[in-house]
Amino acid sequence: MFEIIQREFIYIWYYFEVQLRQIIVYWALGMVIGSVISVFGKQKIHSLMDAIQDRHLGVLGIIPASLIGIASPLCMYGTIPIAASFSQKGMRDDYLAAFMMSSVLLNPQLLIYSAALGSFALCVRFISCFLCGIAAGLVVRYCFKDKHFFNFKGFSERASRDTDPNLLIRFLKNLGRNIKATGPWFLIGVLLSALFQRYVPADAFADLFVNNRGFGLLMAATIGVPLYACGGGTIPLLQQWLVSGMSMGSASAFMITGSATKITNLGALKIVLGIRHFALYIAFIMAFALLSGLVVNLVYIV
C-alpha cells in the first residue's frame, strides 16, 4: 500500500513540476506588471473615467469605459467603492456597467497569465471580455435608461494602502499582497492540473468536450460557475484542457462565466444590484458566454 501511494505521489509530483515550470513565469510577470500598474498608474487610470464623463461622448463612451475596466488592477471589492465614487460624481450607469463588467472579467495580471494559453487564446480572452463590457453598457443604457441600475448606498471609496513615501517599498508591499492573495490559488490550480493529467482518461475528456461540441460548450459555461476560484489558478487547468481537446469556444465560455460568477464577485455584485438585477446579470453572463463560445468555435474552425 505504501509503495502504491509513493508511486502515485511521484507521478503527481512529476506532472506538477512540469506544469509549474511551464507557467510560473507568466504568473510572476503578471504579479510584477499588476503591481506596477496598481502603484504607479491606478490614479491615472481612474482619472480617465472622469474624463469620459466630462467629454460627453454619449454611447461611444462605453468603449473606453470597458477598456479602462480591463486596465484597472483592482478586484471587484476594490472596484465597487471606486464605481460608487464615480456614481456620486454623476457618472452614467451605462459607463459604470461597462467599466465594472470588464473589470470583473479581466485585469492586467490575468491578461499576462493568459499568455500561457497561446496568442490566439489571449486574443480571444481580451476581445470577448472587452465586448462583454460593451454589451453590458448597451443593455443598461437602452433597457434601464429611465431607472437606476446600481445601488451604491453605503459604499465609499476606500483609502489606498499604497501610501509608503518610498516608491520601491510601496511597490514591494503591493507585490507582496498580490502574491499572498493569488499564490495559494495558483498552486492549487497547478495541482488540479496535475491530478487531471494523472487520473482523467483522455478518451473520456474527448467524449465530453470534443466529440459533442454543442454539449461541451454548454458544459464549459456551466462548470465555470463552481470551479472558478481565482483567475491565475484556472490557467493551468485550461492549458491542460486545451491540450486534451477542449475547443477554444468552450474555453472562452468557461473564462467568461468563471470570472463573472466567482463567488467573491457575486457577493459584492449582489449588494449593489439587488435580487432582480442580479438575476438579470447571471442570465446575461450565461447568454453572452454561450454566444461568444459559438462565434469563437466558428472562427477557429475556419
Side-chain angles (χ1 to χ4, degrees):
M1 183 66 179
F2 177 76
E3 291 180 355
I4 294 175
I5 295 175
Q6 185 180 42
R7 184 185 64 205
E8 291 303 308
F9 177 81
I10 291 172
Y11 277 124
I12 293 170
W13 174 254
Y14 169 76
Y15 290 125
F16 180 90
E17 192 266 341
V18 169
Q19 185 77 22
L20 185 65
R21 281 193 287 108
Q22 290 176 344
I23 202 170
I24 194 170
V25 172
Y26 298 99
W27 174 77
L29 186 60
M31 287 292 94
V32 172
I33 292 178
S35 291
V36 167
I37 294 173
S38 183
V39 172
F40 302 107
K42 183 169 61 179
Q43 291 303 120
K44 177 63 176 178
I45 289 172
H46 295 150
S47 68
L48 291 175
M49 283 293 288
D50 291 324
I52 294 173
Q53 180 81 349
D54 295 340
R55 292 181 181 180
H56 306 288
L57 297 177
V59 67
L60 294 179
I62 292 173
I63 297 174
S66 183
L67 285 172
I68 293 170
I70 292 174
S72 176
L74 295 175
C75 67
M76 182 46 52
Y77 276 100
T79 297
I80 286 180
I82 294 291
S85 70
F86 289 150
S87 181
Q88 291 167 4
K89 296 174 185 176
M91 180 72 68
R92 302 162 53 108
D93 276 2
D94 53 344
Y95 292 1
L96 291 175
F99 170 75
M100 292 175 66
M101 185 74 261
S102 59
S103 181
V104 166
L105 296 175
L106 197 58
N107 56 48
Q109 297 97 312
L110 188 52
L111 191 62
I112 298 299
Y113 298 159
S114 300
L117 302 175
S119 58
F120 186 79
L122 177 64
C123 291
V124 164
R125 181 157 219 170
F126 177 82
I127 293 172
S128 62
C129 293
F130 172 54
L131 293 178
C132 191
I134 291 176
L138 291 173
V139 168
V140 170
R141 181 182 181 89
Y142 292 110
C143 296
F144 299 89
K145 56 184 177 182
D146 298 324
K147 304 175 183 177
H148 286 294
F149 190 75
F150 301 102
N151 178 16
F152 292 111
K153 185 178 180 180
F155 281 94
S156 59
E157 187 172 351
R158 295 183 299 180
S160 173
R161 290 193 288 176
D162 298 316
T163 57
D164 196 290
N166 186 304
L167 290 179
L168 178 60
I169 298 300
R170 191 187 308 175
F171 165 75
L172 291 176
K173 286 182 177 179
N174 187 280
L175 180 62
R177 290 195 299 269
N178 279 340
I179 293 173
K180 182 179 179 180
T182 66
W185 293 110
F186 171 72
L187 293 176
I188 288 172
V190 176
L191 177 60
L192 290 175
S193 177
L195 293 172
F196 173 85
Q197 292 178 70
R198 176 60 181 158
Y199 295 115
V200 177
D203 291 343
F205 189 86
D207 287 338
L208 181 61
F209 285 105
V210 182
N211 298 330
N212 300 290
R213 275 184 169 255
F215 179 74
L217 178 59
L218 180 61
M219 179 64 70
T222 304
I223 64 175
V225 177
L227 281 186
Y228 205 100
C230 171
T234 59
I235 296 299
L237 277 174
L238 277 169
Q239 187 180 54
Q240 187 55 43
W241 288 348
L242 287 168
V243 170
S244 299
M246 173 184 266
S247 71
M248 190 60 68
S250 294
S252 175
F254 176 84
M255 288 187 285
I256 291 172
T257 58
S259 299
T261 59
K262 189 171 69 171
I263 191 65
T264 51
N265 289 341
L266 290 183
L269 287 169
K270 187 176 179 181
I271 296 172
V272 300
L273 294 180
I275 296 296
R276 182 171 176 270
H277 289 173
F278 181 75
L280 292 173
Y281 167 79
I282 297 297
F284 168 79
I285 286 300
M286 294 298 295
F288 188 91
L290 290 171
L291 178 61
S292 172
L294 287 170
V295 171
V296 169
N297 275 345
L298 289 174
V299 172
Y300 197 62
I301 289 173
V302 173

